[in-house]
Short mmCIF file of all heavy atoms in Angstrom, two decimals:
data_model
loop_
_atom_site.label_atom_id
_atom_site.label_comp_id
_atom_site.label_asym_id
_atom_site.label_seq_id
_atom_site.Cartn_x
_atom_site.Cartn_y
_atom_site.Cartn_z
N MET A 1 108.65 87.12 101.59
CA MET A 1 109.45 88.23 102.09
C MET A 1 108.55 89.44 102.34
O MET A 1 107.65 89.72 101.58
CB MET A 1 110.50 88.61 101.03
CG MET A 1 111.46 89.70 101.49
SD MET A 1 112.06 90.71 100.14
CE MET A 1 113.16 89.70 99.30
N LYS A 2 108.84 90.09 103.46
CA LYS A 2 108.16 91.36 103.75
C LYS A 2 109.21 92.46 103.73
O LYS A 2 110.35 92.24 104.12
CB LYS A 2 107.46 91.31 105.10
CG LYS A 2 106.25 90.38 105.10
CD LYS A 2 105.56 90.43 106.44
CE LYS A 2 104.39 89.44 106.52
NZ LYS A 2 103.27 89.80 105.66
N VAL A 3 108.80 93.64 103.29
CA VAL A 3 109.74 94.76 103.21
C VAL A 3 109.12 95.96 103.89
O VAL A 3 107.90 96.13 103.88
CB VAL A 3 110.11 95.05 101.74
CG1 VAL A 3 108.92 95.48 100.93
CG2 VAL A 3 111.23 96.08 101.64
N LYS A 4 109.97 96.75 104.53
CA LYS A 4 109.44 97.96 105.16
C LYS A 4 110.41 99.12 104.99
O LYS A 4 111.60 98.93 104.72
CB LYS A 4 109.14 97.71 106.64
CG LYS A 4 110.33 97.38 107.48
CD LYS A 4 109.92 97.12 108.92
CE LYS A 4 111.15 96.75 109.75
NZ LYS A 4 110.82 96.41 111.13
N ILE A 5 109.87 100.30 105.17
CA ILE A 5 110.66 101.53 105.03
C ILE A 5 110.62 102.28 106.35
O ILE A 5 109.55 102.47 106.94
CB ILE A 5 110.07 102.41 103.92
CG1 ILE A 5 110.28 101.71 102.56
CG2 ILE A 5 110.73 103.79 103.91
CD1 ILE A 5 109.59 102.39 101.42
N ASP A 6 111.80 102.68 106.82
CA ASP A 6 111.88 103.54 108.00
C ASP A 6 111.64 104.98 107.54
O ASP A 6 112.50 105.60 106.90
CB ASP A 6 113.26 103.40 108.65
CG ASP A 6 113.37 104.19 109.94
OD1 ASP A 6 112.68 105.22 110.07
OD2 ASP A 6 114.17 103.79 110.80
N GLU A 7 110.46 105.50 107.84
CA GLU A 7 110.09 106.83 107.35
C GLU A 7 110.98 107.93 107.93
O GLU A 7 111.08 109.01 107.35
CB GLU A 7 108.62 107.11 107.66
CG GLU A 7 107.69 106.21 106.86
CD GLU A 7 106.23 106.60 107.00
OE1 GLU A 7 105.94 107.57 107.74
OE2 GLU A 7 105.39 105.93 106.39
N ASP A 8 111.60 107.66 109.07
CA ASP A 8 112.51 108.67 109.65
C ASP A 8 113.80 108.77 108.85
O ASP A 8 114.47 109.81 108.88
CB ASP A 8 112.82 108.33 111.10
CG ASP A 8 111.61 108.47 112.00
OD1 ASP A 8 110.72 109.30 111.68
OD2 ASP A 8 111.53 107.76 113.01
N LEU A 9 114.15 107.70 108.15
CA LEU A 9 115.39 107.70 107.36
C LEU A 9 115.14 108.09 105.91
O LEU A 9 116.04 108.61 105.24
CB LEU A 9 116.05 106.32 107.41
CG LEU A 9 116.60 105.87 108.77
CD1 LEU A 9 117.16 104.44 108.67
CD2 LEU A 9 117.70 106.82 109.24
N CYS A 10 113.96 107.81 105.39
CA CYS A 10 113.67 108.07 103.98
C CYS A 10 113.77 109.56 103.68
O CYS A 10 113.20 110.39 104.39
CB CYS A 10 112.26 107.57 103.65
SG CYS A 10 111.77 107.92 101.95
N ILE A 11 114.51 109.88 102.59
CA ILE A 11 114.65 111.28 102.17
C ILE A 11 113.83 111.57 100.91
O ILE A 11 113.95 112.65 100.32
CB ILE A 11 116.13 111.65 101.94
CG1 ILE A 11 116.77 110.71 100.91
CG2 ILE A 11 116.90 111.63 103.26
CD1 ILE A 11 118.17 111.15 100.46
N GLY A 12 113.02 110.60 100.49
CA GLY A 12 112.12 110.84 99.37
C GLY A 12 112.80 110.97 98.03
O GLY A 12 112.29 111.65 97.14
N CYS A 13 113.91 110.27 97.83
CA CYS A 13 114.66 110.42 96.58
C CYS A 13 113.99 109.73 95.40
O CYS A 13 114.25 110.06 94.25
CB CYS A 13 116.07 109.87 96.76
SG CYS A 13 116.12 108.08 96.97
N GLY A 14 113.15 108.73 95.66
CA GLY A 14 112.43 108.05 94.59
C GLY A 14 113.18 106.90 93.94
O GLY A 14 112.67 106.28 93.01
N VAL A 15 114.38 106.61 94.41
CA VAL A 15 115.18 105.53 93.80
C VAL A 15 114.45 104.19 93.88
O VAL A 15 114.40 103.44 92.91
CB VAL A 15 116.57 105.45 94.47
CG1 VAL A 15 117.25 104.13 94.14
CG2 VAL A 15 117.43 106.62 94.03
N CYS A 16 113.87 103.88 95.03
CA CYS A 16 113.21 102.58 95.19
C CYS A 16 112.04 102.42 94.23
O CYS A 16 111.87 101.38 93.61
CB CYS A 16 112.77 102.38 96.64
SG CYS A 16 111.74 103.70 97.31
N GLU A 17 111.25 103.48 94.09
CA GLU A 17 110.12 103.43 93.16
C GLU A 17 110.61 103.26 91.73
O GLU A 17 110.00 102.54 90.93
CB GLU A 17 109.28 104.70 93.28
CG GLU A 17 108.02 104.67 92.45
CD GLU A 17 107.29 106.00 92.47
OE1 GLU A 17 107.92 107.04 92.18
OE2 GLU A 17 106.11 106.00 92.81
N GLY A 18 111.73 103.90 91.42
CA GLY A 18 112.29 103.77 90.07
C GLY A 18 112.73 102.35 89.78
O GLY A 18 112.58 101.87 88.65
N ILE A 19 113.27 101.67 90.77
CA ILE A 19 113.75 100.30 90.57
C ILE A 19 112.59 99.30 90.61
O ILE A 19 112.53 98.36 89.83
CB ILE A 19 114.78 99.94 91.65
CG1 ILE A 19 116.05 100.79 91.47
CG2 ILE A 19 115.12 98.44 91.62
CD1 ILE A 19 117.06 100.66 92.59
N CYS A 20 111.64 99.50 91.50
CA CYS A 20 110.59 98.50 91.72
C CYS A 20 109.24 99.18 91.98
O CYS A 20 108.74 99.18 93.10
CB CYS A 20 111.01 97.63 92.91
SG CYS A 20 110.02 96.15 93.08
N PRO A 21 108.65 99.75 90.92
CA PRO A 21 107.41 100.51 91.09
C PRO A 21 106.20 99.66 91.50
O PRO A 21 105.19 100.21 91.94
CB PRO A 21 107.18 101.15 89.71
CG PRO A 21 107.95 100.29 88.77
CD PRO A 21 109.13 99.76 89.54
N ASP A 22 106.32 98.33 91.36
CA ASP A 22 105.20 97.47 91.78
C ASP A 22 105.14 97.29 93.29
O ASP A 22 104.14 96.80 93.82
CB ASP A 22 105.31 96.09 91.12
CG ASP A 22 105.02 96.16 89.63
OD1 ASP A 22 104.39 97.14 89.19
OD2 ASP A 22 105.43 95.23 88.90
N VAL A 23 106.21 97.68 93.98
CA VAL A 23 106.27 97.49 95.43
C VAL A 23 106.40 98.81 96.18
O VAL A 23 105.83 98.98 97.26
CB VAL A 23 107.44 96.54 95.81
CG1 VAL A 23 107.64 96.49 97.32
CG2 VAL A 23 107.19 95.15 95.24
N PHE A 24 107.14 99.75 95.59
CA PHE A 24 107.37 101.03 96.27
C PHE A 24 106.63 102.14 95.54
O PHE A 24 106.58 102.17 94.31
CB PHE A 24 108.86 101.37 96.30
CG PHE A 24 109.69 100.34 97.01
CD1 PHE A 24 110.48 99.45 96.28
CD2 PHE A 24 109.70 100.25 98.39
CE1 PHE A 24 111.25 98.49 96.92
CE2 PHE A 24 110.47 99.29 99.05
CZ PHE A 24 111.24 98.42 98.30
N GLU A 25 106.08 103.07 96.32
CA GLU A 25 105.35 104.18 95.72
C GLU A 25 105.61 105.43 96.55
O GLU A 25 105.56 105.38 97.79
CB GLU A 25 103.85 103.84 95.72
CG GLU A 25 102.99 104.84 94.97
CD GLU A 25 101.54 104.37 94.93
OE1 GLU A 25 101.22 103.50 94.10
OE2 GLU A 25 100.76 104.82 95.78
N MET A 26 105.89 106.53 95.88
CA MET A 26 106.11 107.77 96.61
C MET A 26 104.76 108.32 97.08
O MET A 26 103.78 108.32 96.34
CB MET A 26 106.80 108.81 95.72
CG MET A 26 108.18 108.40 95.23
SD MET A 26 109.27 107.87 96.58
CE MET A 26 109.33 109.37 97.58
N GLU A 27 104.74 108.74 98.32
CA GLU A 27 103.55 109.35 98.88
C GLU A 27 104.01 110.65 99.54
O GLU A 27 104.54 110.64 100.65
CB GLU A 27 102.92 108.40 99.90
CG GLU A 27 101.41 108.54 100.01
CD GLU A 27 100.83 107.37 100.80
OE1 GLU A 27 100.89 107.43 102.03
OE2 GLU A 27 100.32 106.42 100.16
N GLY A 28 103.86 111.74 98.81
CA GLY A 28 104.45 112.99 99.29
C GLY A 28 105.96 112.87 99.26
O GLY A 28 106.52 112.52 98.23
N ASP A 29 106.60 113.11 100.37
CA ASP A 29 108.07 113.08 100.38
C ASP A 29 108.64 111.85 101.06
O ASP A 29 109.81 111.84 101.45
CB ASP A 29 108.64 114.36 101.00
CG ASP A 29 108.10 114.60 102.42
OD1 ASP A 29 107.31 113.76 102.89
OD2 ASP A 29 108.50 115.60 103.03
N VAL A 30 107.82 110.81 101.21
CA VAL A 30 108.36 109.53 101.67
C VAL A 30 107.85 108.41 100.77
O VAL A 30 106.80 108.53 100.14
CB VAL A 30 107.98 109.19 103.14
CG1 VAL A 30 108.61 110.16 104.11
CG2 VAL A 30 106.48 109.12 103.30
N ALA A 31 108.62 107.34 100.74
CA ALA A 31 108.19 106.16 99.98
C ALA A 31 107.37 105.26 100.88
O ALA A 31 107.58 105.20 102.09
CB ALA A 31 109.42 105.41 99.46
N THR A 32 106.42 104.55 100.27
CA THR A 32 105.63 103.58 101.01
C THR A 32 105.69 102.23 100.28
O THR A 32 106.02 102.17 99.09
CB THR A 32 104.14 104.00 101.11
OG1 THR A 32 103.62 104.15 99.79
CG2 THR A 32 104.00 105.30 101.87
N VAL A 33 105.37 101.18 101.01
CA VAL A 33 105.31 99.83 100.44
C VAL A 33 103.85 99.53 100.15
O VAL A 33 102.99 99.70 101.01
CB VAL A 33 105.90 98.81 101.43
CG1 VAL A 33 105.73 97.39 100.91
CG2 VAL A 33 107.37 99.11 101.69
N THR A 34 103.58 99.08 98.93
CA THR A 34 102.19 98.90 98.51
C THR A 34 101.72 97.45 98.58
O THR A 34 100.58 97.15 98.22
CB THR A 34 101.99 99.40 97.07
OG1 THR A 34 102.87 98.69 96.20
CG2 THR A 34 102.27 100.89 96.98
N VAL A 35 102.61 96.55 99.01
CA VAL A 35 102.22 95.14 99.10
C VAL A 35 102.46 94.64 100.52
O VAL A 35 103.32 95.13 101.23
CB VAL A 35 103.01 94.25 98.11
CG1 VAL A 35 102.72 94.67 96.68
CG2 VAL A 35 104.50 94.29 98.39
N ASP A 36 101.66 93.65 100.92
CA ASP A 36 101.87 93.04 102.23
C ASP A 36 103.05 92.08 102.16
O ASP A 36 103.99 92.16 102.95
CB ASP A 36 100.59 92.31 102.66
CG ASP A 36 100.77 91.70 104.05
OD1 ASP A 36 101.34 92.37 104.93
OD2 ASP A 36 100.35 90.54 104.24
N THR A 37 103.01 91.19 101.19
CA THR A 37 104.10 90.24 100.97
C THR A 37 104.64 90.47 99.57
O THR A 37 103.87 90.61 98.61
CB THR A 37 103.59 88.80 101.09
OG1 THR A 37 103.03 88.62 102.41
CG2 THR A 37 104.72 87.79 100.89
N VAL A 38 105.96 90.53 99.45
CA VAL A 38 106.58 90.78 98.15
C VAL A 38 106.44 89.55 97.26
O VAL A 38 106.87 88.45 97.65
CB VAL A 38 108.07 91.11 98.32
CG1 VAL A 38 108.74 91.30 96.96
CG2 VAL A 38 108.24 92.37 99.19
N PRO A 39 105.84 89.71 96.06
CA PRO A 39 105.73 88.56 95.14
C PRO A 39 107.13 88.05 94.78
O PRO A 39 108.09 88.83 94.72
CB PRO A 39 105.03 89.15 93.91
CG PRO A 39 104.38 90.40 94.39
CD PRO A 39 105.22 90.92 95.51
N GLU A 40 107.23 86.75 94.52
CA GLU A 40 108.54 86.14 94.27
C GLU A 40 109.27 86.81 93.11
O GLU A 40 110.48 87.02 93.16
CB GLU A 40 108.34 84.65 93.98
CG GLU A 40 109.58 83.84 94.32
CD GLU A 40 109.24 82.39 94.62
OE1 GLU A 40 108.34 82.15 95.44
OE2 GLU A 40 109.87 81.54 94.01
N ASP A 41 108.53 87.19 92.06
CA ASP A 41 109.20 87.76 90.90
C ASP A 41 109.62 89.22 91.12
O ASP A 41 110.21 89.83 90.23
CB ASP A 41 108.32 87.63 89.65
CG ASP A 41 107.01 88.40 89.76
OD1 ASP A 41 106.73 88.97 90.84
OD2 ASP A 41 106.26 88.43 88.76
N GLN A 42 109.30 89.77 92.27
CA GLN A 42 109.72 91.13 92.59
C GLN A 42 110.86 91.16 93.61
O GLN A 42 111.40 92.23 93.93
CB GLN A 42 108.54 91.93 93.18
CG GLN A 42 107.34 92.06 92.25
CD GLN A 42 107.64 92.97 91.07
OE1 GLN A 42 108.34 93.96 91.22
NE2 GLN A 42 107.13 92.62 89.91
N GLN A 43 111.22 89.99 94.12
CA GLN A 43 112.15 89.98 95.25
C GLN A 43 113.54 90.50 94.88
O GLN A 43 114.16 91.25 95.65
CB GLN A 43 112.24 88.57 95.84
CG GLN A 43 110.93 88.19 96.54
CD GLN A 43 111.03 86.89 97.32
OE1 GLN A 43 112.09 86.26 97.39
NE2 GLN A 43 109.93 86.49 97.91
N ASP A 44 114.04 90.16 93.68
CA ASP A 44 115.37 90.65 93.29
C ASP A 44 115.37 92.17 93.18
O ASP A 44 116.33 92.83 93.60
CB ASP A 44 115.79 90.03 91.95
CG ASP A 44 116.23 88.57 92.11
OD1 ASP A 44 116.41 88.12 93.27
OD2 ASP A 44 116.39 87.90 91.08
N ASP A 45 114.29 92.72 92.60
CA ASP A 45 114.22 94.19 92.47
C ASP A 45 114.13 94.85 93.84
O ASP A 45 114.71 95.92 94.06
CB ASP A 45 113.01 94.59 91.62
CG ASP A 45 113.26 94.37 90.13
OD1 ASP A 45 114.43 94.12 89.75
OD2 ASP A 45 112.29 94.47 89.35
N VAL A 46 113.42 94.23 94.76
CA VAL A 46 113.32 94.79 96.11
C VAL A 46 114.70 94.81 96.78
O VAL A 46 115.08 95.80 97.42
CB VAL A 46 112.30 94.01 96.96
CG1 VAL A 46 112.45 94.33 98.45
CG2 VAL A 46 110.89 94.34 96.50
N LEU A 47 115.45 93.72 96.61
CA LEU A 47 116.79 93.68 97.20
C LEU A 47 117.70 94.69 96.54
O LEU A 47 118.55 95.32 97.21
CB LEU A 47 117.37 92.26 97.08
CG LEU A 47 116.63 91.19 97.90
CD1 LEU A 47 117.24 89.81 97.65
CD2 LEU A 47 116.66 91.52 99.38
N ASP A 48 117.54 94.90 95.22
CA ASP A 48 118.31 95.95 94.54
C ASP A 48 117.97 97.32 95.13
O ASP A 48 118.86 98.13 95.41
CB ASP A 48 117.99 95.97 93.04
CG ASP A 48 118.74 94.89 92.28
OD1 ASP A 48 119.63 94.25 92.88
OD2 ASP A 48 118.42 94.70 91.10
N ALA A 49 116.68 97.58 95.29
CA ALA A 49 116.25 98.87 95.85
C ALA A 49 116.80 99.05 97.25
O ALA A 49 117.27 100.14 97.62
CB ALA A 49 114.72 98.95 95.86
N GLU A 50 116.78 97.96 98.03
CA GLU A 50 117.31 98.04 99.39
C GLU A 50 118.79 98.43 99.38
O GLU A 50 119.22 99.28 100.16
CB GLU A 50 117.10 96.70 100.09
CG GLU A 50 117.55 96.70 101.54
CD GLU A 50 117.23 95.38 102.25
OE1 GLU A 50 116.19 94.78 101.95
OE2 GLU A 50 118.04 94.97 103.09
N SER A 51 119.55 97.84 98.48
CA SER A 51 120.98 98.16 98.47
C SER A 51 121.27 99.50 97.84
O SER A 51 122.28 100.13 98.13
CB SER A 51 121.78 97.04 97.79
OG SER A 51 121.40 96.90 96.45
N GLU A 52 120.36 99.99 96.97
CA GLU A 52 120.58 101.29 96.33
C GLU A 52 120.06 102.46 97.16
O GLU A 52 120.40 103.62 96.89
CB GLU A 52 119.91 101.32 94.95
CG GLU A 52 120.52 100.37 93.93
CD GLU A 52 121.95 100.73 93.55
OE1 GLU A 52 122.26 101.92 93.54
OE2 GLU A 52 122.75 99.82 93.32
N CYS A 53 119.22 102.20 98.13
CA CYS A 53 118.66 103.28 98.95
C CYS A 53 119.81 104.04 99.63
O CYS A 53 120.59 103.44 100.36
CB CYS A 53 117.70 102.72 100.00
SG CYS A 53 117.13 103.99 101.15
N PRO A 54 119.91 105.35 99.40
CA PRO A 54 121.06 106.09 99.92
C PRO A 54 121.09 106.22 101.44
O PRO A 54 122.14 106.52 102.00
CB PRO A 54 120.91 107.48 99.26
CG PRO A 54 119.47 107.59 98.93
CD PRO A 54 119.01 106.20 98.60
N THR A 55 119.98 106.00 102.11
CA THR A 55 119.96 106.17 103.56
C THR A 55 119.72 104.85 104.30
O THR A 55 119.48 104.87 105.51
CB THR A 55 118.88 107.18 103.98
OG1 THR A 55 117.60 106.68 103.57
CG2 THR A 55 119.13 108.54 103.34
N ASN A 56 119.74 103.73 103.57
CA ASN A 56 119.47 102.42 104.19
C ASN A 56 118.14 102.40 104.93
O ASN A 56 118.02 101.81 106.00
CB ASN A 56 120.61 102.01 105.13
CG ASN A 56 121.91 101.78 104.41
OD1 ASN A 56 121.93 101.21 103.31
ND2 ASN A 56 123.00 102.23 104.99
N ALA A 57 117.15 103.04 104.33
CA ALA A 57 115.82 103.10 104.98
C ALA A 57 115.00 101.84 104.75
O ALA A 57 113.99 101.63 105.42
CB ALA A 57 115.06 104.31 104.44
N ILE A 58 115.44 101.00 103.79
CA ILE A 58 114.65 99.82 103.42
C ILE A 58 115.23 98.58 104.11
O ILE A 58 116.44 98.39 104.12
CB ILE A 58 114.67 99.62 101.90
CG1 ILE A 58 114.14 100.87 101.19
CG2 ILE A 58 113.85 98.39 101.50
CD1 ILE A 58 114.31 100.84 99.67
N SER A 59 114.34 97.77 104.67
CA SER A 59 114.80 96.50 105.25
C SER A 59 113.75 95.43 104.95
O SER A 59 112.60 95.74 104.65
CB SER A 59 115.01 96.63 106.77
OG SER A 59 113.81 97.01 107.40
N HIS A 60 114.19 94.18 105.03
CA HIS A 60 113.25 93.08 104.75
C HIS A 60 113.43 91.98 105.77
O HIS A 60 114.42 91.92 106.49
CB HIS A 60 113.48 92.53 103.33
CG HIS A 60 114.76 91.76 103.19
ND1 HIS A 60 115.96 92.36 102.92
CD2 HIS A 60 115.01 90.43 103.30
CE1 HIS A 60 116.91 91.45 102.86
NE2 HIS A 60 116.37 90.26 103.09
N GLU A 61 112.44 91.11 105.81
CA GLU A 61 112.52 89.94 106.70
C GLU A 61 111.85 88.76 106.03
O GLU A 61 111.10 88.93 105.07
CB GLU A 61 111.85 90.21 108.04
CG GLU A 61 110.40 90.59 107.93
CD GLU A 61 109.83 91.07 109.28
OE1 GLU A 61 110.54 91.74 110.03
OE2 GLU A 61 108.66 90.75 109.54
S1 SF4 B 1 115.35 104.83 98.00
FE1 SF4 B 1 115.33 105.04 100.25
S2 SF4 B 1 115.44 107.23 100.65
FE2 SF4 B 1 114.90 106.99 98.51
S3 SF4 B 1 112.65 107.11 98.49
FE3 SF4 B 1 113.19 104.94 98.64
S4 SF4 B 1 113.22 104.49 100.87
FE4 SF4 B 1 113.28 106.72 100.61
#
């Protein structure tokens, strides 16, 4: 699974980093993805972060 963040939608709330700090990291006022491919044991947390993101800025494929 790959995950990405739409920087135009991200409001920098930090929720994704709080849920899955191994994949999401705040960089100034936007979140970034720190992995190319999401490790299998992180996938549930990534999906949680995606559904908890208040602006739907996170998507995966
Ligand atoms: S949860 Fe969404 S809005 Fe908040 S920092 Fe992460 S990507 Fe940005």
Side-chain angles (χ1 to χ4, degrees):
M1 184 210 287
K2 290 183 184 291
V3 63
K4 63 181 179 184
I5 293 172
D6 184 331
E7 292 188 359
D8 292 331
L9 293 177
C10 177
I11 56 171
C13 68
V15 164
C16 54
E17 186 186 53
I19 293 172
C20 193
D22 289 340
V23 172
F24 301 105
E25 187 176 280
M26 298 308 299
E27 210 167 81
D29 56 0
V30 294
T32 59
V33 175
T34 58
V35 298
D36 182 42
T37 301
V38 177
E40 206 155 309
D41 63 356
Q42 300 290 323
Q43 291 189 2
D44 285 348
D45 283 349
V46 165
L47 294 177
D48 280 351
E50 183 176 324
S51 62
E52 294 295 327
C53 173
T55 61
N56 295 321
I58 303 172
S59 59
H60 71 275
E61 58 189 38

